[in-house]
Amino acid sequence: LAVDHDVADPALATAGAGRIAWAAARMPVLRSIGQRFGEAKPFAGIRIGACLHVTPETAVLIATLAAGGAEVALCASNPLSTKDDVAASLVVDHEVATFARRGEGVAVYASHVQAVASREPHITIDDGCDLIERLHSSGPERLRSRVAAADLLGGTEDTTTGAAHLRAMAAAGVLTYPVVSLSEATTRAMADNRYGTGQSVLDGIVRATNTLLAGAKVVVAGYGNCGRGVAARARGMGASVIVTEANPLRALEAVLDGYEVMTMRAAAARGNVFVTATGNRDVITAADFAEMPDGAILANAGHFDVEIDVKALAELAGGRRRPVRPGVEEFTVGGRGLLLLCEGRLVNLAAADGNPAQVMDISFAVQALACEWLVRHRGELEPAVYGVPAEIDGQVASLKLATMGIEVDELSPGQLAYLKTFGG
Ligand SMILES: NC(=O)c1ccc[n+]([C@@H]2O[C@H](COP(=O)([O-])OP(=O)(O)OC[C@H]3O[C@@H](n4cnc5c(N)ncnc54)[C@H](O)[C@@H]3O)[C@@H](O)[C@H]2O)c1
């Protein structure tokens, strides 16, 4: 094979190619960006190092960047999410240097990140900072001189947690190059957190339990983007929805959106399905479990498995716990069976397929355009964390609408001048 690689089995390429084609067919925004990149070659002579979940959607992103002339190398950002057949197809069909094996141990994982870092990428793409960290740990001075020579242009970071870490690095003066934080893009918060998570969380709950949502009381904790999405989809399926919040503004919004709002303690006795989406810990605790009706379903949509106090649930149940379906464990508390899904981990990833390709299309379109922005601003940016420029958000929204055949009104020069003078 022509490119450097470490994948489980290149013979899996045919299966991987099929899955990549399935995703690509559902990612028209990235396709249209890929067509433009193919003509304009914005990444001619640019090496891109990517540390991402090795999935079919990621493969479509990588192919888009390669179409723009980039020489891309890829490693996994999580050993458990790697699809070995996709990794094989990237090597065999796309000649992308790929270093990823599903289930790889810590040492192999680190060697794969190193394999990408050692290619001295001009642009890094991260989902959790591993590549950025690796580059920084191998000599910040060298990075600084590469930045000064406009040989290292910048990076992108996908996660909110990663962006917070990078901001701390920037504040401490140890971040050596500019990074665009993608999770704050408006298109992304909308498509990913609200609509993608909103749908896939309910998908996970239904797949795990086959419960009927119509007529059920669904309690949604947290009315951020994820919570709003879950609440709206649950209502759409005929559930009556109760929202719990800690922020009065968000609570008021939920009330005005037509939901019942109350404390978790009050909601505990009334709910049939509980979904946490707060990003906080101990949202459902022992005192709440004690109130819940028989058959209550407990699911978490937040990033970490700390929102439902699973330890307290186990203590209340004593030994009275048993698996009842794949991904469902029943805890008997005061004679009532409470059903915990996927040990309190992200229910949409553990019990369903995560975000649909159409959602990843938008997220990765932002990613591809952010990389192009870094090239356009070569040598102009500070070593800091940048938000996604508003024009990229607008461009992605326009492209998505165009791929759906939807036209929107264009403001006339007179209207633009009016808004400038009198608009908010
Ligand atoms: N499952 C997924 O695929 C997926 C996707 C995106 C984000 N997330 C995660 O979901 C969580 C929420 O994301 P978001 O974008 O909606 O965040 P957000 O910050 O917009 O909203 C969280 C809301 O929860 C509220 N809250 C905090 N503590 C609370 C408590 N104890 N009780 C009730 N409400 C409380 C906050 O006031 C806030 O309004 C995060 O952990 C995020 O990482 C998961």
Side-chain angles (χ1 to χ4, degrees):
L1 291 167
V3 288
D4 209 7
H5 66 276
D6 184 22
V7 299
D9 181 3
L12 298 172
T14 311
R19 292 170 70 159
I20 295 170
W22 170 273
R26 283 150 190 83
M27 302 178 83
V29 179
L30 218 43
R31 248 192 349 258
S32 74
I33 292 173
Q35 270 159 13
R36 179 170 66 76
F37 280 1
E39 286 154 21
K41 301 282 178 204
F43 301 118
I46 298 284
R47 291 184 301 277
I48 296 181
C51 181
L52 291 169
H53 297 284
V54 180
T55 63
E57 292 80 15
T58 294
V60 180
L61 169 68
I62 300 296
T64 304
L65 298 170
E71 187 188 317
V72 191
L74 173 70
C75 62
S77 60
N78 180 333
L80 296 179
S81 60
T82 295
K83 310 282 185 255
D84 284 327
D85 52 2
V86 170
S89 175
L90 276 166
V91 172
V92 173
D93 304 317
H94 299 268
E95 298 194 351
V96 169
T98 304
F99 308 89
R101 293 166 174 266
R102 184 182 172 84
E104 63 198 15
V106 178
V108 175
Y109 179 83
S111 75
H112 285 166
V113 177
Q114 179 58 36
V116 173
S118 62
R119 301 168 85 92
E120 302 220 317
H122 297 105
I123 294 176
T124 58
I125 295 180
D126 262 291
D127 185 314
C129 290
D130 284 356
L131 184 53
I132 292 179
E133 292 259 25
R134 173 51 58 101
L135 281 163
H136 278 76
S137 69
S138 60
E141 280 324 308
R142 165 123 184 82
L143 294 184
R144 284 200 177 91
S145 62
R146 286 189 60 211
V147 171
D151 178 51
L152 174 56
L153 312 187
T156 65
E157 166 56 42
D158 218 66
T159 65
T160 317
T161 317
H165 178 62
L166 292 171
R167 286 206 165 90
M169 283 174 72
V174 294
L175 184 69
T176 59
Y177 63 89
V179 184
V180 182
S181 160
L182 303 172
S183 61
E184 292 139 57
T186 307
T187 38
R188 219 181 111 146
M190 199 161 59
D192 188 319
N193 295 22
R194 191 158 172 180
Y195 295 102
T197 308
Q199 172 175 307
S200 59
V201 162
L202 291 181
D203 182 18
I205 293 170
V206 170
R207 284 200 212 185
T209 62
N210 198 21
T211 198
L212 181 69
L213 289 171
K217 280 224 179 319
V218 174
V219 178
V220 179
Y223 202 60
N225 280 310
C226 292
R228 288 187 193 109
V230 173
R233 301 300 128 199
R235 176 153 73 184
M237 292 181 79
S240 52
V241 176
I242 297 171
V243 169
T244 74
E245 244 301 340
N247 175 335
L249 275 175
R250 294 258 169 102
L252 178 59
E253 186 183 350
V255 172
L256 298 180
D257 283 344
Y259 299 110
E260 273 192 90
V261 174
M262 61 188 74
T263 61
M264 180 55 77
R265 195 61 42 80
R270 298 191 39 201
N272 308 115
V273 179
F274 293 81
V275 183
T276 50
T278 70
N280 205 344
R281 56 174 300 163
D282 304 331
V283 179
I284 305 183
T285 57
D288 305 313
F289 300 133
E291 298 290 325
M292 289 180 180
D294 186 40
I297 292 167
L298 302 165
N300 170 45
H303 192 71
F304 294 111
D305 58 353
V306 296
E307 303 217 6
I308 300 169
D309 189 347
V310 177
K311 195 162 160 261
L313 182 59
E315 276 167 15
L316 278 176
R320 295 176 303 274
R321 56 188 284 184
R322 60 186 182 120
V324 282
R325 282 170 68 102
V328 185
E329 195 171 4
E330 185 184 62
F331 291 77
T332 303
V333 176
R336 290 158 294 116
L338 306 185
L339 304 168
L340 177 69
L341 306 195
C342 310
E343 299 160 22
R345 297 177 199 284
L346 285 170
V347 71
N348 59 332
L349 296 182
D353 290 329
N355 273 328
Q358 289 91 338
V359 170
M360 296 316 296
D361 190 22
I362 290 180
S363 297
F364 281 160
V366 173
Q367 174 79 262
L369 295 181
C371 290
E372 187 186 29
W373 184 82
L374 286 169
V375 175
R376 283 205 183 131
H377 293 272
R378 187 175 200 152
E380 297 167 13
L381 305 170
E382 299 295 318
V385 180
Y386 288 80
V388 170
E391 74 256 22
I392 291 184
D393 255 331
Q395 214 179 330
V396 171
S398 298
L399 283 170
K400 179 68 184 169
L401 289 167
T403 64
M404 298 166 95
I406 295 171
E407 287 183 39
V408 296
D409 289 316
E410 205 172 312
L411 297 179
S412 69
Q415 286 177 316
L416 282 169
Y418 177 86
L419 287 178
K420 223 172 180 177
T421 315
F422 299 109

